Amino acid sequence: MVDTRLKRTPLYECHLEAKARIVPFAGYEMPVQYAGVIEEHRAVRTAVGLFDVSHMGEIEVTGRRALDFVQYVTCNDAAKLTVGRAHYSGLMTPRGTFVDDLLVHKMADDRYFLVVNAANKDKDYAYLCAQCVGFDGVDVTDRSDEYAQIAVQGPKALPTLQKLTPVRLDEIKYYRFVEGPVDGVAAIIARTGYTGEDGFEVYVAAGEAARLWRALLVAGGEFGVVPAGLGARDTLRFEASMPLYGNDIDDTTTPFEAGLGWIVKLDKGVFLGRDALLRQQADGVRRALVGFEMTGRGIARHGYPIWAGGSEVGAVTSGTHAPTLGKPLGMGYVPVERSAVGSVFEVEIREQKVAARVVGMPFYRRAR
Amino acid sequence: MAQPNDRLYTKTHEWVLLAGGEATAGITQYAQEQLGDVVFVELPAPGKKVEKGAALGNIESVKAVSEVFAPVAGDVSATNGELESHPELVNQDPYGKGWLVRLKVAPGVADGLMDAAAYEKFLAEEGAH
């Protein structure tokens, strides 16, 4: 029988103590909010927030041919990574669409650490295992249950985390990481995030997570740290126009369609989906993911139809009232000829067509 | 928390306050807590006739959209225009400044609704606190 019980992260008790509202998400009981989505969102934009993202999957690829294998299954060029660097990439189908989007960390010449979406981790692991046949000596190991991940995000993330580690955090550049102690326990400290703010993603052994979470709340107290839930994580990533798998990208969309052509390195050699992506690059995409603002009254939501010229031409993939920007915004796929900034179309909201206009992405970019 | 005693409640977490031939309606404290931060309120145009239990409007939080149902039948006579620029009033003051609509109603429209004590009991039975 399939076990359909929801799993809990090592921080579940901390969430209950903080009076979180718990919801099922990707097979886990996760905190969707504590004090409120907007309050948490603002805290991350102006101070610092802590996210339990222990539901994310961690998959290790090891072996002499680990690089060859990572190169084969992902679209970005992992040969460009040196030890201590990470990049954003796509796990590709042979059709050039996303099995998942992921972060690839180079731990050593023969060891890569992949961080994948919670909802996809079992699928990804099975896919990687199936694809690694033929890569002699490559091992794929699901380490998800061994690791907890805490994201410390916001302009005060650095001083908060710095109080708990001797590692010089200001020397870790964006998309680099170091292995070092945090609050006395071994951790991977990566300067990455999913909020559009500066911050770190900290990976520790599952058993150490609750103590670290509490230590971070104390350390960040002087900066106004708050625990932040999945609700704020979604509004933050949305404002920063970072795609969400299952909403904005999936196994029917390619990186080119999603505006993620910068993660596709067609000249790196053979990889899954390369032929399809070469063809799409030559032919041009037919649809594109755009950002839009509502010029009529209403909020676009995932799945709402997009109309133009009397026909349904696309669909909304994400949409909400953006807390920092104070207006309803959305993302969706439209025919490429309607994707230029300034193009207008209508979003069908509860059987009414409401005007919208394409705007540039990201919607929000932090001042540096 | 205690619900105001001056009004009646539905199982779908709306309230209605009757005064003469007019009813004011909104959503309860429990409902606003469940919704989270309200960012958009869509209400019917004045003059619209609504049946008891029919869709009255929509309330959108940052996370999702939820329908509001008419606690009583009536003709919409006014809507809370403040909510257009300040939808957060639904969170901050659901029984006061966060009211949604006024309806012209006939006598007896509120039959079958719960009083505050009955609604409290209903919330307790539903496992809400």
PDB file of all heavy atoms in Angstrom, chain A residues 21 32-33 36-39 231 235 297-299 301 304 320-321 323 349-350, chain B residues 32-42 58 60-65 84:
ATOM      1  N   ARG A  21      -0.102  28.336  10.956  1.00  0.00           N
ATOM      2  CA  ARG A  21      -1.193  27.579  10.337  1.00  0.00           C
ATOM      3  C   ARG A  21      -0.532  26.539   9.433  1.00  0.00           C
ATOM      4  O   ARG A  21       0.261  26.870   8.555  1.00  0.00           O
ATOM      5  CB  ARG A  21      -2.109  28.471   9.526  1.00  0.00           C
ATOM      6  CG  ARG A  21      -3.279  27.652   8.952  1.00  0.00           C
ATOM      7  CD  ARG A  21      -4.257  28.511   8.210  1.00  0.00           C
ATOM      8  NE  ARG A  21      -4.717  29.593   9.041  1.00  0.00           N
ATOM      9  CZ  ARG A  21      -5.252  30.707   8.557  1.00  0.00           C
ATOM     10  NH1 ARG A  21      -5.367  30.876   7.255  1.00  0.00           N
ATOM     11  NH2 ARG A  21      -5.651  31.657   9.378  1.00  0.00           N
ATOM     12  N   VAL A  32       2.043  27.495   6.442  1.00  0.00           N
ATOM     13  CA  VAL A  32       1.730  28.404   5.337  1.00  0.00           C
ATOM     14  C   VAL A  32       1.859  29.848   5.800  1.00  0.00           C
ATOM     15  O   VAL A  32       2.221  30.730   5.033  1.00  0.00           O
ATOM     16  CB  VAL A  32       0.345  28.106   4.726  1.00  0.00           C
ATOM     17  CG1 VAL A  32      -0.778  28.353   5.721  1.00  0.00           C
ATOM     18  CG2 VAL A  32       0.108  28.919   3.469  1.00  0.00           C
ATOM     19  N   GLN A  33       1.572  30.090   7.083  1.00  0.00           N
ATOM     20  CA  GLN A  33       1.779  31.428   7.626  1.00  0.00           C
ATOM     21  C   GLN A  33       1.842  31.362   9.142  1.00  0.00           C
ATOM     22  O   GLN A  33       1.367  30.413   9.753  1.00  0.00           O
ATOM     23  CB  GLN A  33       0.691  32.398   7.180  1.00  0.00           C
ATOM     24  CG  GLN A  33      -0.699  32.072   7.740  1.00  0.00           C
ATOM     25  CD  GLN A  33      -1.697  33.184   7.465  1.00  0.00           C
ATOM     26  OE1 GLN A  33      -1.947  33.513   6.317  1.00  0.00           O
ATOM     27  NE2 GLN A  33      -2.257  33.763   8.512  1.00  0.00           N
ATOM     28  N   GLY A  36       1.006  36.315   9.493  1.00  0.00           N
ATOM     29  CA  GLY A  36       0.243  36.764   8.332  1.00  0.00           C
ATOM     30  C   GLY A  36       1.171  36.912   7.143  1.00  0.00           C
ATOM     31  O   GLY A  36       2.322  37.323   7.316  1.00  0.00           O
ATOM     32  N   VAL A  37       0.659  36.598   5.963  1.00  0.00           N
ATOM     33  CA  VAL A  37       1.511  36.567   4.775  1.00  0.00           C
ATOM     34  C   VAL A  37       2.154  37.931   4.515  1.00  0.00           C
ATOM     35  O   VAL A  37       3.359  38.027   4.268  1.00  0.00           O
ATOM     36  CB  VAL A  37       0.724  36.100   3.533  1.00  0.00           C
ATOM     37  CG1 VAL A  37       1.590  36.192   2.282  1.00  0.00           C
ATOM     38  CG2 VAL A  37       0.218  34.675   3.727  1.00  0.00           C
ATOM     39  N   ILE A  38       1.354  38.982   4.576  1.00  0.00           N
ATOM     40  CA  ILE A  38       1.882  40.305   4.213  1.00  0.00           C
ATOM     41  C   ILE A  38       2.930  40.767   5.233  1.00  0.00           C
ATOM     42  O   ILE A  38       3.985  41.286   4.867  1.00  0.00           O
ATOM     43  CB  ILE A  38       0.739  41.335   4.054  1.00  0.00           C
ATOM     44  CG1 ILE A  38      -0.110  40.954   2.826  1.00  0.00           C
ATOM     45  CG2 ILE A  38       1.284  42.752   3.913  1.00  0.00           C
ATOM     46  CD1 ILE A  38      -1.310  41.840   2.571  1.00  0.00           C
ATOM     47  N   GLU A  39       2.653  40.546   6.511  1.00  0.00           N
ATOM     48  CA  GLU A  39       3.610  40.933   7.555  1.00  0.00           C
ATOM     49  C   GLU A  39       4.938  40.179   7.374  1.00  0.00           C
ATOM     50  O   GLU A  39       6.022  40.754   7.492  1.00  0.00           O
ATOM     51  CB  GLU A  39       2.984  40.623   8.918  1.00  0.00           C
ATOM     52  CG  GLU A  39       3.765  41.157  10.086  1.00  0.00           C
ATOM     53  CD  GLU A  39       3.036  40.912  11.417  1.00  0.00           C
ATOM     54  OE1 GLU A  39       1.784  40.953  11.447  1.00  0.00           O
ATOM     55  OE2 GLU A  39       3.733  40.661  12.409  1.00  0.00           O
ATOM     56  N   GLY A 231       3.291  30.862   2.334  1.00  0.00           N
ATOM     57  CA  GLY A 231       2.520  31.938   1.705  1.00  0.00           C
ATOM     58  C   GLY A 231       3.424  33.091   1.317  1.00  0.00           C
ATOM     59  O   GLY A 231       3.405  33.565   0.170  1.00  0.00           O
ATOM     60  N   THR A 235       4.675  34.727  -2.385  1.00  0.00           N
ATOM     61  CA  THR A 235       4.530  36.123  -2.833  1.00  0.00           C
ATOM     62  C   THR A 235       5.900  36.765  -3.077  1.00  0.00           C
ATOM     63  O   THR A 235       6.046  37.582  -3.981  1.00  0.00           O
ATOM     64  CB  THR A 235       3.721  36.964  -1.820  1.00  0.00           C
ATOM     65  OG1 THR A 235       4.302  36.858  -0.516  1.00  0.00           O
ATOM     66  CG2 THR A 235       2.264  36.501  -1.760  1.00  0.00           C
ATOM     67  N   ARG A 297     -10.061  45.941 -12.694  1.00  0.00           N
ATOM     68  CA  ARG A 297     -10.092  45.497 -11.301  1.00  0.00           C
ATOM     69  C   ARG A 297     -10.225  43.984 -11.203  1.00  0.00           C
ATOM     70  O   ARG A 297     -11.173  43.405 -11.728  1.00  0.00           O
ATOM     71  CB  ARG A 297     -11.272  46.154 -10.562  1.00  0.00           C
ATOM     72  CG  ARG A 297     -10.907  47.498  -9.933  1.00  0.00           C
ATOM     73  CD  ARG A 297     -12.123  48.175  -9.314  1.00  0.00           C
ATOM     74  NE  ARG A 297     -12.794  47.367  -8.286  1.00  0.00           N
ATOM     75  CZ  ARG A 297     -12.349  47.223  -7.039  1.00  0.00           C
ATOM     76  NH1 ARG A 297     -11.227  47.787  -6.669  1.00  0.00           N
ATOM     77  NH2 ARG A 297     -13.019  46.503  -6.159  1.00  0.00           N
ATOM     78  N   GLY A 298      -9.277  43.366 -10.517  1.00  0.00           N
ATOM     79  CA  GLY A 298      -9.361  41.925 -10.308  1.00  0.00           C
ATOM     80  C   GLY A 298      -7.981  41.345 -10.096  1.00  0.00           C
ATOM     81  O   GLY A 298      -6.974  42.007 -10.337  1.00  0.00           O
ATOM     82  N   ILE A 299      -7.968  40.117  -9.615  1.00  0.00           N
ATOM     83  CA  ILE A 299      -6.703  39.430  -9.376  1.00  0.00           C
ATOM     84  C   ILE A 299      -6.678  38.166 -10.229  1.00  0.00           C
ATOM     85  O   ILE A 299      -7.575  37.328 -10.139  1.00  0.00           O
ATOM     86  CB  ILE A 299      -6.539  39.089  -7.884  1.00  0.00           C
ATOM     87  CG1 ILE A 299      -6.473  40.388  -7.053  1.00  0.00           C
ATOM     88  CG2 ILE A 299      -5.287  38.242  -7.655  1.00  0.00           C
ATOM     89  CD1 ILE A 299      -6.394  40.171  -5.564  1.00  0.00           C
ATOM     90  N   ARG A 301      -5.410  34.531 -11.272  1.00  0.00           N
ATOM     91  CA  ARG A 301      -4.921  33.374 -10.515  1.00  0.00           C
ATOM     92  C   ARG A 301      -4.520  32.268 -11.479  1.00  0.00           C
ATOM     93  O   ARG A 301      -4.993  32.221 -12.624  1.00  0.00           O
ATOM     94  CB  ARG A 301      -6.017  32.842  -9.587  1.00  0.00           C
ATOM     95  CG  ARG A 301      -6.551  33.844  -8.575  1.00  0.00           C
ATOM     96  CD  ARG A 301      -5.608  34.039  -7.421  1.00  0.00           C
ATOM     97  NE  ARG A 301      -6.184  34.930  -6.403  1.00  0.00           N
ATOM     98  CZ  ARG A 301      -5.543  35.298  -5.304  1.00  0.00           C
ATOM     99  NH1 ARG A 301      -4.310  34.868  -5.071  1.00  0.00           N
ATOM    100  NH2 ARG A 301      -6.109  36.107  -4.435  1.00  0.00           N
ATOM    101  N   TYR A 304      -6.413  30.750 -14.865  1.00  0.00           N
ATOM    102  CA  TYR A 304      -7.417  31.602 -15.507  1.00  0.00           C
ATOM    103  C   TYR A 304      -7.049  31.784 -16.985  1.00  0.00           C
ATOM    104  O   TYR A 304      -5.880  32.003 -17.332  1.00  0.00           O
ATOM    105  CB  TYR A 304      -7.483  32.980 -14.841  1.00  0.00           C
ATOM    106  CG  TYR A 304      -8.126  33.028 -13.471  1.00  0.00           C
ATOM    107  CD1 TYR A 304      -8.515  31.881 -12.788  1.00  0.00           C
ATOM    108  CD2 TYR A 304      -8.356  34.261 -12.850  1.00  0.00           C
ATOM    109  CE1 TYR A 304      -9.102  31.966 -11.536  1.00  0.00           C
ATOM    110  CE2 TYR A 304      -8.945  34.348 -11.589  1.00  0.00           C
ATOM    111  CZ  TYR A 304      -9.312  33.191 -10.935  1.00  0.00           C
ATOM    112  OH  TYR A 304      -9.882  33.281  -9.694  1.00  0.00           O
ATOM    113  N   THR A 320      -1.208  37.216  -8.033  1.00  0.00           N
ATOM    114  CA  THR A 320      -1.697  37.628  -6.719  1.00  0.00           C
ATOM    115  C   THR A 320      -1.569  39.137  -6.636  1.00  0.00           C
ATOM    116  O   THR A 320      -1.139  39.798  -7.579  1.00  0.00           O
ATOM    117  CB  THR A 320      -0.917  36.947  -5.573  1.00  0.00           C
ATOM    118  OG1 THR A 320      -1.552  37.257  -4.318  1.00  0.00           O
ATOM    119  CG2 THR A 320       0.525  37.415  -5.497  1.00  0.00           C
ATOM    120  N   HIS A 321      -1.985  39.652  -5.496  1.00  0.00           N
ATOM    121  CA  HIS A 321      -1.757  41.053  -5.204  1.00  0.00           C
ATOM    122  C   HIS A 321      -0.345  41.128  -4.628  1.00  0.00           C
ATOM    123  O   HIS A 321      -0.073  40.535  -3.596  1.00  0.00           O
ATOM    124  CB  HIS A 321      -2.790  41.520  -4.186  1.00  0.00           C
ATOM    125  CG  HIS A 321      -2.764  42.982  -3.917  1.00  0.00           C
ATOM    126  ND1 HIS A 321      -1.944  43.548  -2.975  1.00  0.00           N
ATOM    127  CD2 HIS A 321      -3.441  44.009  -4.476  1.00  0.00           C
ATOM    128  CE1 HIS A 321      -2.134  44.861  -2.965  1.00  0.00           C
ATOM    129  NE2 HIS A 321      -3.030  45.166  -3.870  1.00  0.00           N
ATOM    130  N   PRO A 323       2.501  42.216  -2.550  1.00  0.00           N
ATOM    131  CA  PRO A 323       2.502  43.031  -1.329  1.00  0.00           C
ATOM    132  C   PRO A 323       3.433  44.232  -1.367  1.00  0.00           C
ATOM    133  O   PRO A 323       3.050  45.313  -0.938  1.00  0.00           O
ATOM    134  CB  PRO A 323       2.921  42.033  -0.244  1.00  0.00           C
ATOM    135  CG  PRO A 323       2.493  40.706  -0.766  1.00  0.00           C
ATOM    136  CD  PRO A 323       2.740  40.797  -2.245  1.00  0.00           C
ATOM    137  N   ILE A 349     -11.781  36.359 -15.334  1.00  0.00           N
ATOM    138  CA  ILE A 349     -11.911  36.188 -13.885  1.00  0.00           C
ATOM    139  C   ILE A 349     -13.383  35.962 -13.576  1.00  0.00           C
ATOM    140  O   ILE A 349     -14.205  36.860 -13.754  1.00  0.00           O
ATOM    141  CB  ILE A 349     -11.395  37.433 -13.131  1.00  0.00           C
ATOM    142  CG1 ILE A 349      -9.929  37.714 -13.482  1.00  0.00           C
ATOM    143  CG2 ILE A 349     -11.571  37.252 -11.622  1.00  0.00           C
ATOM    144  CD1 ILE A 349      -9.361  38.977 -12.854  1.00  0.00           C
ATOM    145  N   ARG A 350     -13.744  34.783 -13.171  1.00  0.00           N
ATOM    146  CA  ARG A 350     -15.141  34.456 -12.855  1.00  0.00           C
ATOM    147  C   ARG A 350     -16.087  34.932 -13.956  1.00  0.00           C
ATOM    148  O   ARG A 350     -17.029  35.678 -13.722  1.00  0.00           O
ATOM    149  CB  ARG A 350     -15.517  35.037 -11.498  1.00  0.00           C
ATOM    150  CG  ARG A 350     -14.738  34.386 -10.353  1.00  0.00           C
ATOM    151  CD  ARG A 350     -15.116  34.923  -9.005  1.00  0.00           C
ATOM    152  NE  ARG A 350     -14.609  36.260  -8.738  1.00  0.00           N
ATOM    153  CZ  ARG A 350     -13.360  36.522  -8.306  1.00  0.00           C
ATOM    154  NH1 ARG A 350     -12.519  35.544  -8.085  1.00  0.00           N
ATOM    155  NH2 ARG A 350     -12.981  37.763  -8.101  1.00  0.00           N
TER     156      ARG A 350
ATOM    157  N   GLN B  32     -12.413  35.677   8.629  1.00  0.00           N
ATOM    158  CA  GLN B  32     -11.284  36.530   8.207  1.00  0.00           C
ATOM    159  C   GLN B  32      -9.947  35.920   8.631  1.00  0.00           C
ATOM    160  O   GLN B  32      -8.962  36.044   7.924  1.00  0.00           O
ATOM    161  CB  GLN B  32     -11.458  37.988   8.666  1.00  0.00           C
ATOM    162  CG  GLN B  32     -11.252  38.303  10.132  1.00  0.00           C
ATOM    163  CD  GLN B  32      -9.788  38.418  10.539  1.00  0.00           C
ATOM    164  OE1 GLN B  32      -8.904  38.522   9.697  1.00  0.00           O
ATOM    165  NE2 GLN B  32      -9.530  38.368  11.837  1.00  0.00           N
ATOM    166  N   GLU B  33      -9.948  35.233   9.785  1.00  0.00           N
ATOM    167  CA  GLU B  33      -8.706  34.570  10.206  1.00  0.00           C
ATOM    168  C   GLU B  33      -8.325  33.468   9.215  1.00  0.00           C
ATOM    169  O   GLU B  33      -7.163  33.279   8.882  1.00  0.00           O
ATOM    170  CB  GLU B  33      -8.864  33.947  11.597  1.00  0.00           C
ATOM    171  CG  GLU B  33      -8.730  34.948  12.723  1.00  0.00           C
ATOM    172  CD  GLU B  33      -9.074  34.341  14.083  1.00  0.00           C
ATOM    173  OE1 GLU B  33      -9.242  33.100  14.171  1.00  0.00           O
ATOM    174  OE2 GLU B  33      -9.198  35.125  15.040  1.00  0.00           O
ATOM    175  N   GLN B  34      -9.331  32.732   8.779  1.00  0.00           N
ATOM    176  CA  GLN B  34      -9.058  31.643   7.844  1.00  0.00           C
ATOM    177  C   GLN B  34      -8.567  32.171   6.498  1.00  0.00           C
ATOM    178  O   GLN B  34      -7.705  31.575   5.862  1.00  0.00           O
ATOM    179  CB  GLN B  34     -10.328  30.789   7.631  1.00  0.00           C
ATOM    180  CG  GLN B  34     -10.719  29.983   8.851  1.00  0.00           C
ATOM    181  CD  GLN B  34      -9.619  29.027   9.287  1.00  0.00           C
ATOM    182  OE1 GLN B  34      -9.148  28.209   8.511  1.00  0.00           O
ATOM    183  NE2 GLN B  34      -9.178  29.158  10.525  1.00  0.00           N
ATOM    184  N   LEU B  35      -9.143  33.299   6.059  1.00  0.00           N
ATOM    185  CA  LEU B  35      -8.749  33.856   4.760  1.00  0.00           C
ATOM    186  C   LEU B  35      -7.321  34.383   4.774  1.00  0.00           C
ATOM    187  O   LEU B  35      -6.609  34.284   3.793  1.00  0.00           O
ATOM    188  CB  LEU B  35      -9.676  35.019   4.391  1.00  0.00           C
ATOM    189  CG  LEU B  35     -11.087  34.647   3.963  1.00  0.00           C
ATOM    190  CD1 LEU B  35     -11.933  35.909   3.839  1.00  0.00           C
ATOM    191  CD2 LEU B  35     -11.044  33.918   2.627  1.00  0.00           C
ATOM    192  N   GLY B  36      -6.930  34.975   5.871  1.00  0.00           N
ATOM    193  CA  GLY B  36      -5.652  35.677   5.894  1.00  0.00           C
ATOM    194  C   GLY B  36      -5.809  37.061   5.281  1.00  0.00           C
ATOM    195  O   GLY B  36      -6.941  37.545   5.094  1.00  0.00           O
ATOM    196  N   ASP B  37      -4.676  37.674   4.942  1.00  0.00           N
ATOM    197  CA  ASP B  37      -4.690  39.069   4.493  1.00  0.00           C
ATOM    198  C   ASP B  37      -5.594  39.283   3.283  1.00  0.00           C
ATOM    199  O   ASP B  37      -5.311  38.799   2.188  1.00  0.00           O
ATOM    200  CB  ASP B  37      -3.271  39.496   4.114  1.00  0.00           C
ATOM    201  CG  ASP B  37      -2.319  39.437   5.293  1.00  0.00           C
ATOM    202  OD1 ASP B  37      -2.708  39.891   6.377  1.00  0.00           O
ATOM    203  OD2 ASP B  37      -1.193  38.931   5.129  1.00  0.00           O
ATOM    204  N   VAL B  38      -6.653  40.054   3.485  1.00  0.00           N
ATOM    205  CA  VAL B  38      -7.583  40.342   2.382  1.00  0.00           C
ATOM    206  C   VAL B  38      -7.014  41.476   1.532  1.00  0.00           C
ATOM    207  O   VAL B  38      -6.608  42.517   2.063  1.00  0.00           O
ATOM    208  CB  VAL B  38      -8.977  40.712   2.936  1.00  0.00           C
ATOM    209  CG1 VAL B  38      -9.896  41.207   1.822  1.00  0.00           C
ATOM    210  CG2 VAL B  38      -9.595  39.503   3.640  1.00  0.00           C
ATOM    211  N   VAL B  39      -6.964  41.246   0.226  1.00  0.00           N
ATOM    212  CA  VAL B  39      -6.376  42.251  -0.666  1.00  0.00           C
ATOM    213  C   VAL B  39      -7.350  42.758  -1.732  1.00  0.00           C
ATOM    214  O   VAL B  39      -7.049  43.701  -2.458  1.00  0.00           O
ATOM    215  CB  VAL B  39      -5.103  41.716  -1.363  1.00  0.00           C
ATOM    216  CG1 VAL B  39      -3.980  41.535  -0.332  1.00  0.00           C
ATOM    217  CG2 VAL B  39      -5.360  40.406  -2.090  1.00  0.00           C
ATOM    218  N   PHE B  40      -8.509  42.133  -1.827  1.00  0.00           N
ATOM    219  CA  PHE B  40      -9.453  42.546  -2.869  1.00  0.00           C
ATOM    220  C   PHE B  40     -10.834  42.022  -2.502  1.00  0.00           C
ATOM    221  O   PHE B  40     -10.976  40.870  -2.097  1.00  0.00           O
ATOM    222  CB  PHE B  40      -9.019  41.975  -4.222  1.00  0.00           C
ATOM    223  CG  PHE B  40      -9.844  42.446  -5.389  1.00  0.00           C
ATOM    224  CD1 PHE B  40      -9.636  43.707  -5.942  1.00  0.00           C
ATOM    225  CD2 PHE B  40     -10.828  41.638  -5.937  1.00  0.00           C
ATOM    226  CE1 PHE B  40     -10.380  44.135  -7.026  1.00  0.00           C
ATOM    227  CE2 PHE B  40     -11.580  42.066  -7.032  1.00  0.00           C
ATOM    228  CZ  PHE B  40     -11.354  43.320  -7.574  1.00  0.00           C
ATOM    229  N   VAL B  41     -11.837  42.907  -2.623  1.00  0.00           N
ATOM    230  CA  VAL B  41     -13.211  42.503  -2.315  1.00  0.00           C
ATOM    231  C   VAL B  41     -14.089  42.848  -3.511  1.00  0.00           C
ATOM    232  O   VAL B  41     -14.062  43.979  -4.004  1.00  0.00           O
ATOM    233  CB  VAL B  41     -13.721  43.229  -1.046  1.00  0.00           C
ATOM    234  CG1 VAL B  41     -15.141  42.789  -0.731  1.00  0.00           C
ATOM    235  CG2 VAL B  41     -12.799  42.947   0.137  1.00  0.00           C
ATOM    236  N   GLU B  42     -14.810  41.868  -3.980  1.00  0.00           N
ATOM    237  CA  GLU B  42     -15.696  42.060  -5.139  1.00  0.00           C
ATOM    238  C   GLU B  42     -17.130  41.930  -4.648  1.00  0.00           C
ATOM    239  O   GLU B  42     -17.499  40.879  -4.109  1.00  0.00           O
ATOM    240  CB  GLU B  42     -15.379  40.970  -6.165  1.00  0.00           C
ATOM    241  CG  GLU B  42     -16.071  41.128  -7.484  1.00  0.00           C
ATOM    242  CD  GLU B  42     -15.655  39.977  -8.406  1.00  0.00           C
ATOM    243  OE1 GLU B  42     -16.226  38.876  -8.263  1.00  0.00           O
ATOM    244  OE2 GLU B  42     -14.760  40.188  -9.226  1.00  0.00           O
ATOM    245  N   ASN B  58     -16.964  38.050  -3.769  1.00  0.00           N
ATOM    246  CA  ASN B  58     -15.734  37.286  -3.591  1.00  0.00           C
ATOM    247  C   ASN B  58     -14.744  38.090  -2.780  1.00  0.00           C
ATOM    248  O   ASN B  58     -14.626  39.296  -2.945  1.00  0.00           O
ATOM    249  CB  ASN B  58     -15.110  36.959  -4.951  1.00  0.00           C
ATOM    250  CG  ASN B  58     -15.924  35.919  -5.698  1.00  0.00           C
ATOM    251  OD1 ASN B  58     -15.832  34.729  -5.417  1.00  0.00           O
ATOM    252  ND2 ASN B  58     -16.762  36.369  -6.626  1.00  0.00           N
ATOM    253  N   GLU B  60     -10.721  38.126  -1.894  1.00  0.00           N
ATOM    254  CA  GLU B  60      -9.432  37.549  -2.258  1.00  0.00           C
ATOM    255  C   GLU B  60      -8.401  37.882  -1.190  1.00  0.00           C
ATOM    256  O   GLU B  60      -8.241  39.027  -0.794  1.00  0.00           O
ATOM    257  CB  GLU B  60      -8.956  38.117  -3.600  1.00  0.00           C
ATOM    258  CG  GLU B  60      -9.976  37.903  -4.711  1.00  0.00           C
ATOM    259  CD  GLU B  60      -9.371  37.380  -5.992  1.00  0.00           C
ATOM    260  OE1 GLU B  60      -8.240  36.843  -5.949  1.00  0.00           O
ATOM    261  OE2 GLU B  60     -10.030  37.521  -7.032  1.00  0.00           O
ATOM    262  N   SER B  61      -7.705  36.848  -0.748  1.00  0.00           N
ATOM    263  CA  SER B  61      -6.544  37.066   0.106  1.00  0.00           C
ATOM    264  C   SER B  61      -5.328  36.977  -0.797  1.00  0.00           C
ATOM    265  O   SER B  61      -5.462  36.711  -1.993  1.00  0.00           O
ATOM    266  CB  SER B  61      -6.486  35.995   1.197  1.00  0.00           C
ATOM    267  OG  SER B  61      -6.141  34.760   0.628  1.00  0.00           O
ATOM    268  N   VAL B  62      -4.128  37.179  -0.246  1.00  0.00           N
ATOM    269  CA  VAL B  62      -2.949  37.014  -1.095  1.00  0.00           C
ATOM    270  C   VAL B  62      -2.889  35.593  -1.651  1.00  0.00           C
ATOM    271  O   VAL B  62      -2.415  35.377  -2.754  1.00  0.00           O
ATOM    272  CB  VAL B  62      -1.622  37.333  -0.367  1.00  0.00           C
ATOM    273  CG1 VAL B  62      -1.364  38.815  -0.364  1.00  0.00           C
ATOM    274  CG2 VAL B  62      -1.580  36.793   1.031  1.00  0.00           C
ATOM    275  N   LYS B  63      -3.414  34.639  -0.893  1.00  0.00           N
ATOM    276  CA  LYS B  63      -3.258  33.247  -1.285  1.00  0.00           C
ATOM    277  C   LYS B  63      -4.342  32.741  -2.234  1.00  0.00           C
ATOM    278  O   LYS B  63      -4.065  31.939  -3.105  1.00  0.00           O
ATOM    279  CB  LYS B  63      -3.287  32.338  -0.042  1.00  0.00           C
ATOM    280  CG  LYS B  63      -2.189  32.577   0.949  1.00  0.00           C
ATOM    281  CD  LYS B  63      -2.089  31.435   1.944  1.00  0.00           C
ATOM    282  CE  LYS B  63      -3.327  31.235   2.777  1.00  0.00           C
ATOM    283  NZ  LYS B  63      -3.485  32.237   3.838  1.00  0.00           N
ATOM    284  N   ALA B  64      -5.580  33.174  -2.025  1.00  0.00           N
ATOM    285  CA  ALA B  64      -6.675  32.519  -2.742  1.00  0.00           C
ATOM    286  C   ALA B  64      -7.915  33.392  -2.771  1.00  0.00           C
ATOM    287  O   ALA B  64      -7.985  34.431  -2.123  1.00  0.00           O
ATOM    288  CB  ALA B  64      -6.998  31.188  -2.067  1.00  0.00           C
ATOM    289  N   VAL B  65      -8.890  32.933  -3.538  1.00  0.00           N
ATOM    290  CA  VAL B  65     -10.169  33.631  -3.621  1.00  0.00           C
ATOM    291  C   VAL B  65     -11.234  32.777  -2.936  1.00  0.00           C
ATOM    292  O   VAL B  65     -11.230  31.556  -3.050  1.00  0.00           O
ATOM    293  CB  VAL B  65     -10.533  33.940  -5.091  1.00  0.00           C
ATOM    294  CG1 VAL B  65     -10.483  32.686  -5.945  1.00  0.00           C
ATOM    295  CG2 VAL B  65     -11.891  34.609  -5.197  1.00  0.00           C
ATOM    296  N   GLU B  84     -12.745  49.197  -1.304  1.00  0.00           N
ATOM    297  CA  GLU B  84     -12.049  49.278  -2.581  1.00  0.00           C
ATOM    298  C   GLU B  84     -10.592  49.705  -2.372  1.00  0.00           C
ATOM    299  O   GLU B  84      -9.677  49.127  -2.951  1.00  0.00           O
ATOM    300  CB  GLU B  84     -12.769  50.268  -3.496  1.00  0.00           C
ATOM    301  CG  GLU B  84     -12.424  50.083  -4.942  1.00  0.00           C
ATOM    302  CD  GLU B  84     -13.406  50.783  -5.856  1.00  0.00           C
ATOM    303  OE1 GLU B  84     -14.632  50.695  -5.619  1.00  0.00           O
ATOM    304  OE2 GLU B  84     -12.936  51.414  -6.806  1.00  0.00           O
TER     305      GLU B  84
END
